[in-house]
Amino acid sequence: MPVAADLLTLTPAGLYCPRGGFHIDPVRPVDRALITHGHSDHARSGHGAVLATPETLAIMSVRYGEDFAGATEAAGLGRPSRIGDIRVTFHPAGHVLGSAQIALEAGGCRIVVSGDYKRQLDPTCSPFETVACDVFVTEATFGLPVFRHPDARGEAAKLIGSLALFPDRPHLVGAYALGKAQRMIALLREAGYDDTIFLHGALERLCQFYESRGIELGPLDPVRGLKPKDLAGRIVLCPPGSMADLWSRRLGDPVTAFASGWMRVRARARQRGVELPLIVSDHADWDDLTATIEETGAGEVWVTHGAEEALVHWCRLRGLDARPLNLLGYGDEGDNLDESVKISEDH
Amino acid sequence: MNRFAQLLDRLAYEPRRNAKIALMADYFRHVPDPERGYALAALTGSLGFAEAKPGLVRALIAERTDPVLFGLSYDFVGDLSETVALMWPAPEIRPNAVPSLAEVVETLAETAKRDLPAILARWLDALDEAGRWACLKLITGGLRVGVSARLAKTAVAQLGAIEPDEVEHVWHGLAVPYLDLFAWVEGRGPRPESDDPAPFRPPMLAHAVEDGDFDRLDPAAFVAEWKWDGIRVQAAAGLSLETRRHRRRLYSRTGEDIGAAFPDLLEALDFDATIDGELLVLVDGRVQSFNVLQQRLNRKTVTARMLTEQPAHIRAYDLLVEAGEDLRALPFAARRERLERFIARTAHPRLDLSPLIPFASWEALAEARADPAAAGAGPDAEAVEGVMLKRHDSPYLPGRPKGLWYKWKRDPRVVDAVLMYAQRGHGKRSSFYSDFTFGVWRGSGADAELVPVGKAYFGFTDQELTELDRFVRRHTINRFGPVREVQHDAAVGLVLEVAFEGLGRSTRHKSGVAMRFPRISRIRWDKPPAEADRIEVLEAMLRSAAPADAAPADED
Ligand SMILES: [Zn+2]
Ligand SMILES: [Zn+2]
């Protein structure tokens, strides 16, 4: 399909639309960028102009400061705009607050770039919307059939059950600063947990931001200055990188939990010394990746980042034209586990 | 099954002993009979059914998944049961009843081998991921969640105000699913009768000798014995009043029944008594290395050849029960007298007495410990790990009572090695780099390089751990997952004085040697890495070591 190649190709900076002259989630500064969501590996600072949802723009300014780009423009969900002769529409991706898929249309061909997405229910963001297309550009963070995320509510119940079992120990929960932390809090509130939840300093501003957007997170307090005995039987949230860092020593002997899709695999959990793995992910699991591909009706599938090989194999078994893009520069949720200190803001 | 699966799941991640007990006690408190009884049986290794082979599990998954996807998944996960548990496709119609643990155990006990695949597939269809994992672990015979039989019984005891030893006393008279046991600990029923003539009695353990102990201890109050490099066992035998059968059991220190691996020893237990002693392999009257003994452990069946080439032996040091009489309240001296007469009377070639070491002062004992061959251990000196000290008047008390028994290990060998890699610890230590790989120099001039010779994760104080951890974080040059490579060249690096008990040849280590029980005895902040020891030092130790010393490093 020559039209598709006109619409979207690959450059060292990432996905690029030659006819529109813009990149999507570029990994280095470019003139014009369309951004799917606020995770720092997708949303970088220093672009000339940025088009993204209002929430994503706000998250970028929380993280990088007001002047994160030369110019910004807000894209409303479901409302098409034009860049040259390309029709561009943002659709909800269900990944984190403000996350979007980006649909590009021209000459009767529609390509949808998924960004990161999930199909599970999440009270902190708008649900994923399937968009029919010719080419579906999908992520594959959890693109192996061993990844089937359980109901996240059951994982929250696990954590609450552990508080009753070990009432003398703080429960330290590693959760990514954007999205996962707020979703964990919302899940706990949904399960009826009303106590104050304590936050590592790196989570405070984004929690405040979520609340300013009408997402109620209940009583939250900074953990600063508190002693292990003040935190006995309490929940403390921190970025994954801090779980095994000097910072965590102030909690004494906590039960360490980690909320991540990677916790599905025991060796991964043990590698981090996690005692209470919570399988809560903001990415589509295997069943949802494959179901979504089918629902889009796409005849061609490009797999951006994650476990491309298995998903490409699955597409080909179904007679779909599929290829791995092997995009570099996207730090998958805790994939490089020891490096998570540096990429703790990602995904 | 789901509740049991959750328990196993949690236990598998939990490093703390007390937390494991709490998890199990919570389970036993909330799960009804007979389900919890089967769980207790699974945790104590008391389930008797023919285990399914991994081949059967592979065949089932092969029928249901694409081979490429299975291969990629198995590569990623690294464990067959877990891969299958996670990949097992959701059935068109999920069976409406999740099997209980009781159903699984009872069905397995009466299922013919050819029917097993269909039954197992039905269970896997009905269970969720955690349930499938637990089910597969259970039927392939490897729970491996770090729980000993003793620990599970301790958790049961917590249901009532009962000592774990009390559970131990009645244990062998009980049958799965232990209805009368739970009724008793919960105060709903009488203490179960124990007709077991050969129950496990929790052993008495010793404290390590510490600095200053000898200043306050009176040598005249103690006897000394060699500390043998074997396995502590309890041999119990007696006649059941009910069945009129003579029962013989060989227990490990934690109460696991290890008799199946030692039929030659069971044959020797032709008496009515309970002995505490060391399990050793003796060839022509000489104690063999721990390595040889190791080959006979952890085996379900033994070959005839092993029985003749590696005959097992018990070197007895205490007598707990004789002809139904519990001797444990007697002083050690009295028990020892009874033991000496008992061994003489039994006169079995597989059974002998652990000799006492005569000594008049702590200095004299230190001398004996430094040279066991000259002090009476003779040709078995290489199998001596140190000496044991026992008060004449000590009763036999379960656990590790203070002030009665001491172990005083031989001075270990030491080398100065250079820290090369560090890995994060587990549990309480998970925020510290606490597992240290170290190496010694090989080659010279421009070709000089450090080769790893071992890994140590204890021997330092909490304060030293903090300093080591800081050093690792400040000198990291590379990261591989949880492992950090630490700068180690002639000029910059950290020298560790490493003490170890033995040395063996190793094909796994680049250096060709492997240490047994290495630990960090001192941190040599003062020493430049270039002055650390060379591989030749270890090779010389290896050459001078007797075979009994040449055990591999990884056995414990
Ligand atoms: Zn991503
Ligand atoms: Zn993301």
Side-chain angles (χ1 to χ4, degrees):
Chain A
M1 201 183 294
V3 189
D6 269 7
L7 270 180
L8 203 60
T9 101
L10 214 48
T11 71
L15 290 168
Y16 179 65
C17 173
R19 270 167 74 172
F22 59 84
H23 284 83
I24 298 178
D25 292 352
V27 294
R28 57 182 71 160
V30 297
D31 289 344
R32 177 154 210 181
L34 275 54
I35 305 290
T36 59
H37 68 286
H39 277 142
S40 58
D41 52 335
H42 292 254
R44 293 168 196 258
S45 62
H47 303 307
V50 167
L51 175 65
T53 63
E55 291 84 0
T56 299
L57 293 175
I59 288 165
M60 291 177 79
S61 72
V62 167
R63 300 188 128 180
Y64 302 124
E66 298 284 329
D67 54 351
F68 65 88
T72 62
E73 188 186 337
L77 290 173
R79 269 184 285 143
S81 59
R82 273 198 180 275
I83 302 177
D85 65 343
I86 314 278
R87 204 168 110 109
V88 176
T89 318
F90 284 59
H91 299 275
H95 175 54
V96 297
L97 183 58
S99 67
Q101 314 167 69
I102 300 175
L104 311 178
E105 279 171 273
C109 172
R110 185 189 289 154
I111 298 186
V112 170
V113 178
S114 77
D116 291 337
Y117 67 100
K118 74 167 172 290
R119 308 295 302 264
Q120 274 189 342
L121 226 69
D122 178 348
T124 67
C125 66
S126 326
F128 180 90
E129 199 178 283
T130 307
V131 183
C133 56
D134 302 292
V135 179
F136 186 49
V137 184
T138 182
E139 63 139 326
T141 305
F142 291 108
L144 275 174
V146 292
F147 290 109
R148 278 133 100 199
H149 307 324
D151 188 332
R153 286 171 298 193
E155 303 303 287
K158 237 199 251 178
L159 176 58
I160 293 171
S162 183
L163 292 171
L165 205 50
F166 298 109
D168 302 332
R169 293 164 64 192
H171 282 57
L172 177 64
V173 182
Y176 294 92
L178 170 58
K180 188 68 63 64
Q182 297 76 23
R183 184 175 176 211
M184 268 324 290
I185 296 169
L187 281 165
L188 289 163
R189 299 307 184 205
E190 231 176 49
Y193 184 80
D194 298 325
D195 285 1
T196 300
I197 293 174
F198 295 88
L199 300 180
H200 181 283
L203 306 182
E204 287 172 26
R205 288 210 307 162
L206 282 163
C207 286
Q208 280 159 16
F209 171 72
Y210 266 59
E211 292 203 288
S212 75
R213 294 283 155 152
I215 295 153
E216 285 181 25
L217 299 178
L220 304 176
D221 260 338
V223 75
R224 257 190 308 280
L226 293 176
K227 297 265 167 344
K229 66 171 169 31
D230 306 326
L231 298 166
R234 304 303 199 104
I235 296 174
V236 179
L237 249 56
C238 73
S242 301
M243 289 168 63
D245 217 336
L246 303 167
W247 175 84
S248 69
R249 290 183 197 166
R250 72 184 64 181
L251 302 185
D253 182 24
V255 173
T256 46
F258 184 21
S260 163
W262 296 114
M263 294 298 103
R264 186 43 114 184
V265 173
R266 280 156 206 282
R268 285 294 181 112
R270 271 199 292 267
Q271 194 178 28
R272 289 199 76 127
V274 171
E275 292 145 27
L276 184 61
L278 302 172
I279 310 162
V280 180
S281 173
D282 287 334
H283 292 266
D285 65 5
W286 174 261
D287 290 345
D288 286 342
L289 287 170
T290 55
T292 304
I293 289 171
E294 286 184 330
E295 283 171 27
T296 61
E300 200 174 326
V301 177
W302 301 354
V303 184
T304 54
H305 61 298
E308 296 99 328
E309 198 181 345
L311 198 58
V312 165
H313 177 79
W314 179 90
C315 289
R316 288 179 184 159
L317 285 178
R318 266 163 193 66
L320 301 174
D321 197 351
R323 61 180 167 112
L325 299 185
N326 299 313
L327 287 191
L328 298 177
Y330 297 92
D332 297 322
E333 185 182 276
D335 193 14
N336 187 345
L337 291 167
D338 207 47
E339 290 299 325
S340 53
V341 182
K342 271 190 282 172
I343 61 157
S344 62
E345 302 300 307
D346 303 344
H347 297 229
Chain B
M1 189 80 199
N2 280 340
R3 189 67 183 74
F4 178 63
Q6 284 165 19
L7 172 68
L8 289 189
D9 206 37
R10 201 73 208 261
L11 286 173
Y13 290 115
E14 180 55 67
R16 297 168 189 77
R17 183 176 180 277
N18 284 340
K20 282 183 198 277
I21 294 171
L23 288 165
M24 287 187 282
D26 181 66
Y27 174 87
F28 294 136
R29 207 167 280 129
H30 294 107
V31 173
D33 291 320
E35 189 78 355
R36 59 179 174 174
Y38 285 107
L40 179 59
L43 291 166
T44 53
S46 314
L47 288 177
F49 47 75
E51 288 152 4
K53 296 271 182 319
L56 162 68
V57 178
R58 276 177 187 275
L60 282 177
I61 197 70
E63 286 169 19
R64 286 164 176 79
T65 53
D66 175 78
V68 174
L69 294 179
F70 175 75
L72 289 167
S73 299
Y74 189 19
D75 277 355
F76 184 84
V77 175
D79 175 273
L80 180 66
S81 293
E82 189 178 348
T83 311
V84 172
L86 295 177
M87 268 192 93
W88 190 264
E92 300 278 304
I93 309 152
R94 193 176 277 271
N96 46 18
V98 173
S100 66
L101 177 59
E103 185 190 333
V104 169
V105 173
E106 284 165 5
T107 310
L108 282 173
E110 57 199 29
T111 298
K113 214 170 168 183
R114 62 168 193 287
D115 300 330
L116 191 54
I119 289 174
L120 179 55
R122 206 180 63 218
W123 287 336
L124 296 178
D125 278 350
L127 290 163
D128 66 4
E129 279 84 353
R132 290 193 290 262
W133 174 76
C135 183
L136 289 166
K137 287 284 171 194
L138 185 73
I139 67 158
T140 53
L143 291 185
R144 297 205 178 86
V145 289
V147 169
S148 67
R150 174 75 178 169
L151 207 62
K153 292 172 200 166
T154 305
V156 172
Q158 284 203 347
L159 297 192
I162 286 176
E163 289 296 313
D165 297 337
E166 292 281 297
V167 176
E168 210 71 75
H169 278 301
V170 302
W171 181 256
H172 284 282
L174 303 173
V176 180
Y178 311 113
L179 301 182
D180 45 352
L181 171 69
F182 285 109
W184 170 54
V185 294
E186 289 173 345
R188 294 181 288 105
R191 186 177 198 270
E193 284 302 314
S194 165
D195 181 42
D196 188 350
F200 174 64
R201 324 261 170 179
M204 176 159 172
L205 306 172
H207 285 272
V209 167
E210 284 173 27
D211 286 350
D213 277 351
F214 288 127
D215 300 340
R216 21 174 223 93
L217 298 179
D218 174 12
F222 287 87
V223 296
E225 300 168 24
W226 300 118
K227 182 171 177 5
W228 299 101
D229 188 14
I231 305 254
R232 176 95 180 261
V233 289
Q234 189 175 110
L239 192 70
S240 162
L241 298 173
E242 214 171 88
T243 62
R244 310 305 302 166
R245 274 183 58 212
H246 191 251
R247 301 293 317 243
R248 299 161 187 208
R249 288 210 186 80
L250 191 64
Y251 297 106
S252 75
R253 211 183 86 162
T254 52
E256 322 282 339
D257 190 335
I258 56 169
F262 299 94
D264 46 343
L265 264 185
L266 289 184
E267 211 177 284
L269 309 185
D270 189 15
F271 49 65
D272 183 4
T274 300
I275 294 174
D276 186 5
E278 197 81 1
L279 176 61
L280 300 166
V281 168
L282 254 65
V283 176
D284 300 330
R286 278 205 58 180
V287 179
Q288 303 299 297
S289 75
F290 189 83
N291 202 13
V292 175
L293 176 57
Q294 183 78 359
Q295 293 166 25
R296 288 206 49 181
L297 283 170
N298 308 324
R299 282 183 175 263
K300 291 232 167 84
T301 55
V302 249
T303 61
R305 199 173 138 188
M306 296 182 92
L307 291 177
T308 48
E309 290 182 2
Q310 298 151 8
H313 188 96
I314 292 177
R315 190 149 281 180
Y317 32 69
D318 218 321
L319 188 62
L320 312 189
V321 180
E322 188 182 14
E325 186 192 351
D326 192 336
L327 309 181
R328 291 178 295 171
L330 297 180
F332 175 82
R335 293 199 312 276
R336 173 80 193 186
E337 232 182 86
R338 298 271 296 256
L339 175 69
E340 287 175 8
R341 273 185 276 140
F342 176 82
I343 296 291
R345 212 167 45 240
T346 312
H348 196 287
R350 296 300 186 99
L351 220 54
D352 68 3
L353 202 59
S354 185
L356 298 181
I357 314 164
F359 70 101
S361 65
W362 295 131
E363 290 71 30
L365 186 62
E367 223 167 279
R369 168 173 158 273
D371 189 3
D380 287 341
E382 282 298 338
V384 168
E385 280 191 318
V387 299
M388 296 294 302
L389 294 169
K390 298 176 179 175
R391 279 190 72 99
H392 290 298
D393 57 0
S394 57
Y396 194 95
L397 300 173
R400 211 182 292 275
K402 284 214 167 76
L404 299 178
W405 287 11
Y406 293 90
K407 54 186 174 194
W408 192 21
K409 288 203 163 189
R410 284 177 87 173
D411 274 334
R413 258 70 58 89
V414 294
V415 287
D416 285 335
V418 182
L419 175 62
M420 297 175 74
Y421 303 94
Q423 183 169 357
R424 274 209 291 267
H426 295 283
K428 221 172 173 165
R429 280 176 162 191
S430 63
S431 72
F432 292 92
Y433 284 87
S434 62
D435 296 9
F436 305 104
T437 300
F438 45 83
V440 295
W441 292 105
R442 183 168 71 182
S444 57
D447 292 335
E449 58 164 352
L450 284 163
V451 284
V453 290
K455 189 170 174 178
Y457 42 91
F458 57 94
F460 34 79
T461 64
D462 285 353
Q463 176 58 33
E464 284 173 326
L465 176 57
T466 310
E467 290 163 8
L468 284 165
D469 179 79
R470 193 177 310 137
F471 182 89
V472 169
R473 290 175 193 274
R474 288 197 182 148
H475 293 85
T476 299
I477 51 175
N478 252 317
R479 298 175 184 209
F480 314 96
V483 176
R484 289 187 183 208
E485 181 175 6
V486 181
Q487 192 173 2
H488 52 85
D489 48 51
V492 182
L494 183 60
V495 177
L496 303 172
E497 183 186 281
V498 177
F500 54 96
E501 301 293 335
L503 210 53
R505 296 206 180 277
S506 160
T507 46
R508 279 195 8 210
H509 289 76
K510 195 176 167 192
S511 61
V513 297
M515 287 177 179
R516 191 156 170 244
F517 290 129
R519 63 187 177 276
I520 292 170
S521 53
R522 231 162 14 128
I523 307 172
R524 298 294 307 264
W525 298 105
D526 55 312
K527 198 162 190 172
E531 289 172 26
D533 278 315
R534 302 185 49 78
I535 188 73
E536 290 80 7
V537 172
L538 287 173
E539 279 163 359
M541 286 182 186
L542 197 58
R543 274 193 301 278
S544 67
D549 208 15
D554 307 305
E555 68 205 7
D556 308 275

